Amino acid sequence: MIKEVIGTGDTPELALLDAKTQLGLGEEDDVDFEVIQMPEKKVLGLFGGKQAKVKITLKASPADTAEDFLKNVIRAMDLSNLTVNVEKTDTSAVFDIEGEDVGFIIGRRGETLDALQYLTSLVANHVDNSYFKITVNTGNYREKREKTLEILGRKLAFKAVKTGKKTSLEPMNPYERRIIHTSVQKVKGAISWSEGENAARHVVIGPDPKEKRSRGYNRGRGGRGNRGGSRPAANPNRKPLDESNGAGLYGRID
């Protein structure tokens, strides 16, 4: 996104200051500018005369472009009572949305929030075709969601070891599937894998065929549930599956 501003003034210096003010810049900020018109004095001090004109052309950063897009989308959703706070670095930006109607932004299981993050990332990464990480959050929703998925994955992993049966979860994005994989693979005797394509891709949790289950957790012939059995041991050294390529909720978007 390109921003062009033309400032006017009695001198080129004043015209430049006017252009900087329009862009919200300070007098000391360095910018590239072009003098497109020099001042001309009035004839006899009464007729004609022109002010100086200076043009500043700025290429908006990925963070600025993303912020403008996100605010425009929220405005189009008629959620005017929401505010967007942003923390920017050279390679990333985190947008935290606050207000009474954040429930509309989160959506069902965070689907709307994920969609906003995806679209905002798409816009930001097309500014200069270099990877720029975007995170869209509201309060600590994503942290709570991650904790919930960790607990779910661990619970179903223990269930798989105990019953010898597999469980299929609902479709999730790559980042959330990785959270489940990481949690499951810390439980000895349980494994996880993904099935399905595109939006239907989901995690399946089941018993590890390479591990012998404790007799107390074997519900096979003659089994008595978990009587006398011991809780499956955690195994934090197992390497989790990474379906997100280590790029966060969404990787680079080309």
Side-chain angles (χ1 to χ4, degrees):
M1 182 182 296
I2 304 296
K3 290 184 178 180
E4 289 188 351
V5 168
I6 296 178
T8 59
D10 293 335
T11 65
E13 292 76 16
L14 291 175
L16 176 59
L17 179 58
D18 178 51
K20 286 182 176 181
T21 301
Q22 294 182 52
L23 290 170
L25 302 175
E27 183 176 358
E28 69 286 352
D29 291 326
D30 292 328
V31 293
D32 293 328
F33 63 93
E34 176 187 0
V35 178
I36 58 178
Q37 180 175 288
M38 293 297 291
E40 295 181 4
K41 293 182 179 181
K42 294 181 179 180
V43 177
L44 300 178
L46 298 173
F47 307 103
K50 295 180 179 179
Q51 286 189 310
K53 291 185 178 181
V54 170
K55 180 171 70 174
I56 295 179
T57 302
L58 292 180
K59 182 178 181 181
S61 68
D64 291 337
T65 303
E67 183 177 2
D68 290 342
F69 172 79
L70 184 58
K71 288 181 177 179
N72 286 336
V73 171
I74 292 175
R75 191 177 302 114
M77 294 173 68
D78 197 23
L79 300 175
S80 57
N81 65 336
L82 297 181
T83 58
V84 179
N85 302 312
V86 57
E87 294 183 6
K88 305 175 184 178
T89 69
D90 292 338
T91 59
S92 67
V94 177
F95 298 99
D96 188 19
I97 303 173
E98 297 179 344
E100 297 179 0
D101 294 330
V102 292
F104 292 102
I105 292 295
I106 296 173
R108 180 178 177 270
R109 295 191 179 93
E111 291 176 351
T112 303
L113 192 65
D114 287 348
L116 278 175
Q117 178 163 301
Y118 175 80
L119 293 174
T120 306
S121 297
L122 188 66
V123 170
N125 280 279
H126 275 76
V127 172
D128 53 15
N129 294 320
S130 61
Y131 178 62
F132 193 84
K133 184 178 179 181
I134 293 291
T135 302
V136 179
N137 202 356
T138 172
N140 59 347
Y141 171 80
R142 293 205 182 280
E143 291 78 7
K144 290 181 179 178
R145 174 68 171 166
E146 182 173 342
K147 189 64 177 179
T148 298
L149 292 175
E150 288 176 350
I151 295 172
L152 176 64
R154 190 173 179 85
K155 177 181 178 181
L156 294 180
F158 285 134
K159 179 180 177 181
V161 175
K162 178 178 179 180
T163 66
K165 297 179 180 180
K166 66 180 182 180
T167 302
S168 295
L169 280 67
E170 65 185 18
M172 297 178 184
N173 61 55
Y175 179 66
E176 292 188 338
R177 293 200 301 271
R178 185 181 189 279
I179 294 174
I180 295 291
H181 289 314
T182 301
S183 180
V184 170
Q185 295 194 17
K186 291 180 180 179
V187 177
K188 185 177 181 180
I191 59 172
S192 61
W193 64 94
S194 293
E195 295 181 354
E197 300 294 334
N198 301 321
R201 195 157 179 79
H202 60 279
V203 175
V204 181
I205 301 173
D208 187 347
K210 297 180 181 179
E211 296 280 350
K212 291 183 179 180
R213 288 181 291 142
S214 169
R215 178 179 298 179
Y217 279 83
N218 193 334
R219 288 186 179 272
R221 185 178 302 173
R224 293 187 177 183
N226 63 349
R227 294 180 183 177
S230 58
R231 188 177 182 84
N235 184 7
N237 296 322
R238 299 177 70 190
K239 185 177 180 181
L241 297 176
D242 186 357
E243 297 188 65
S244 63
N245 297 318
L249 181 58
Y250 295 104
R252 174 170 178 166
I253 302 172
D254 295 317

